[in-house]
Amino acid sequence: MNEIFNGSRRRAETYLTGRVDRSAKYADLLDFPRYLTIETVNTCNARCAMCTIQDWDRPTVRMSDSLFEKIAGELADHRAVLKNVSLYKDCEPLIDKKLPKKIALLKKLGIPNVGISTNVSLLDEERGTAILEAGIDKVLLSIDSLKKDVYEKIRIRLDFDTVMENARNFIRLRNRINPNTSIRVRMIDMPENHGEWQAFHAYWQPQLAQNDICDMRVYHNWGGQLQGFKGDLWSASDIPCIVHWGNFVIFANGDVPLCDVDFNNRFPTGNLNNNSIRELWTSQIMHERRSAHLSGRRDENPMCKSCNVWDDRAAWDAAASTQ
């Protein structure tokens, strides 16, 4: 790439390495992704207000064992550069009955920071024990409210009391079975629960261990695809998105979309039944996407134009000091 982004290639490289992997050189980011999002099953038992599941038009499938083993083998070959491997996308990963075996395989191969995000409704003692004994490194509990009526308005189809009991029990299970597993309790700030963060944090933080986190994220518009979005929008078109240098998404059937928000694979990258992760990561289409973002042509893709999921304005501004 020979682009000079906004007059400073160095600024872009500093920003991207700082966000993706501070220990790496810029050229290293182009060789293999640091973050993997692997959807082992693409279905969910909830219909959450901040989710696009009502608009999914992909068939419901579970990733084949052969494909998962192929992916796991390639990850093992590059485990030294991996930062995080997430065994979920927009689904509920605990629906996958083989999830503990998948976790155990990755850990056996030396893959670091294997985790899931769950809506907690299915995280009973049996499933919690299974993933902890498999060696899972991180579990994100998405809960969103301490108020039953508010929670069930956001997390449609789920029962607040079941979720709260499962979450508290899982923390105790973790303490007993695998204290090294980190837990993150998360609230997505949106119109329905706005203003609850202080109470939410005050309730959960005392129950967590030193290596755990209770945090909040603001909901987003899925690159302009979330119907009825009521949050704030700001222009991110001048910032190269870190996903093209850091994160690689794999759907259950092996398809690789543009990024995390491309839930219907509108902008396909390829399929891992036909190619390797590295082949797709270093492909011409990825080169073209990076070139567009580096040369200020991010708005050419309608999904990128209205998306700021991964942008960090403060980090981008700070990178200007390197010019």
Side-chain angles (χ1 to χ4, degrees):
M1 300 179 189
N2 297 314
E3 299 87 347
I4 303 298
F5 185 83
N6 278 3
S8 176
R9 173 64 176 270
R10 184 182 177 190
R11 178 186 187 183
E13 292 183 4
T14 298
Y15 171 77
L16 292 165
T17 54
R19 293 289 311 282
V20 176
D21 185 356
R22 292 179 180 274
S23 66
K25 296 180 180 179
Y26 175 79
D28 297 334
L29 304 184
L30 307 180
D31 185 65
F32 200 81
R34 266 51 180 169
Y35 297 84
L36 277 291
T37 299
I38 304 172
E39 174 192 80
T40 70
V41 61
N42 66 331
T43 187
C44 189
N45 60 333
R47 295 294 182 271
C48 301
M50 77 292 283
C51 185
T52 57
I53 190 170
Q54 303 285 20
D55 297 317
W56 295 0
D57 59 18
R58 296 184 290 122
T60 299
V61 296
R62 181 180 62 81
M63 182 175 285
S64 68
D65 293 343
S66 59
L67 177 56
F68 187 83
E69 289 165 4
K70 175 187 177 181
I71 293 168
E74 188 173 2
L75 295 184
D77 292 338
H78 295 85
R79 59 183 176 270
V81 302
L82 295 178
K83 295 294 184 181
N84 192 77
V85 176
S86 303
L87 293 182
Y88 68 96
K89 173 119 183 6
D90 310 321
C91 61
E92 172 45 54
L94 294 174
I95 291 176
D96 183 358
K97 296 180 179 180
K98 293 187 175 182
L99 181 65
K101 292 183 178 180
K102 292 180 171 74
I103 295 168
L105 174 60
L106 294 182
K107 296 313 299 178
K108 180 180 178 181
L109 293 172
I111 308 302
N113 294 323
V114 177
I116 64 168
S117 173
T118 174
N119 63 36
V120 196
S121 64
L122 302 178
L123 191 59
D124 55 21
E125 183 168 356
E126 180 180 0
R127 291 185 179 91
T129 298
I131 63 173
L132 288 167
E133 291 182 344
I136 195 164
D137 297 294
K138 302 188 295 185
V139 179
L140 191 157
L141 309 179
S142 293
I143 298 178
D144 300 325
S145 181
L146 298 177
K147 302 175 182 178
K148 181 178 176 65
D149 59 333
V150 175
Y151 174 88
E152 293 181 356
K153 184 177 181 181
I154 296 172
R155 297 280 174 173
I156 300 167
R157 295 189 181 181
L158 302 186
D159 178 70
F160 172 78
D161 299 315
T162 299
V163 166
M164 292 294 285
E165 181 179 2
N166 284 349
R168 291 188 293 259
N169 288 341
F170 182 73
I171 293 171
R172 290 190 286 267
L173 272 178
R174 184 282 308 269
N175 294 343
R176 177 167 57 86
I177 297 174
N178 191 350
N180 292 325
T181 298
S182 67
I183 294 174
R184 183 186 294 260
V185 180
R186 173 165 293 171
M187 169 183 161
I188 303 297
D189 183 40
M190 47 196 304
E192 289 85 349
N193 63 3
H194 187 68
E196 290 189 37
W197 166 242
Q198 295 298 329
F200 187 89
H201 185 271
Y203 178 82
W204 286 111
Q205 191 62 50
Q207 302 183 55
L208 300 176
Q210 187 173 3
N211 64 331
D212 298 334
I213 299 173
C214 179
D215 75 353
M216 178 184 71
R217 292 287 179 89
V218 178
Y219 91 132
H220 59 83
N221 72 344
W222 291 88
Q225 299 178 95
L226 181 62
Q227 301 297 319
F229 179 74
K230 299 177 182 178
D232 294 328
L233 290 176
W234 50 272
S235 174
S237 60
D238 61 332
I239 301 178
C241 182
I242 62 173
V243 297
H244 299 315
W245 287 263
N247 193 28
F248 192 85
V249 178
I250 306 169
F251 286 147
N253 68 349
D255 282 341
V256 177
L258 172 74
C259 64
D260 308 66
V261 304
D262 188 11
F263 55 85
N264 276 329
N265 198 24
R266 290 174 56 193
F267 303 96
T269 305
N271 187 289
L272 290 183
N273 287 294
N274 306 315
N275 296 100
S276 68
I277 295 171
R278 188 174 185 278
E279 285 172 339
L280 294 182
W281 189 249
T282 59
S283 65
Q284 180 63 25
I285 192 169
M286 288 299 297
H287 170 80
E288 292 171 357
R289 288 169 181 168
R290 293 177 185 125
S291 294
H293 279 239
L294 285 172
S295 59
R297 294 180 290 111
R298 171 173 173 162
D299 285 1
E300 291 179 359
N301 186 304
M303 198 172 293
C304 298
K305 182 177 181 179
S306 59
C307 181
N308 60 2
V309 175
W310 293 110
D311 294 328
D312 187 329
R313 174 68 61 183
W316 176 247
D317 291 342
S321 64
T322 64
Q323 297 184 80

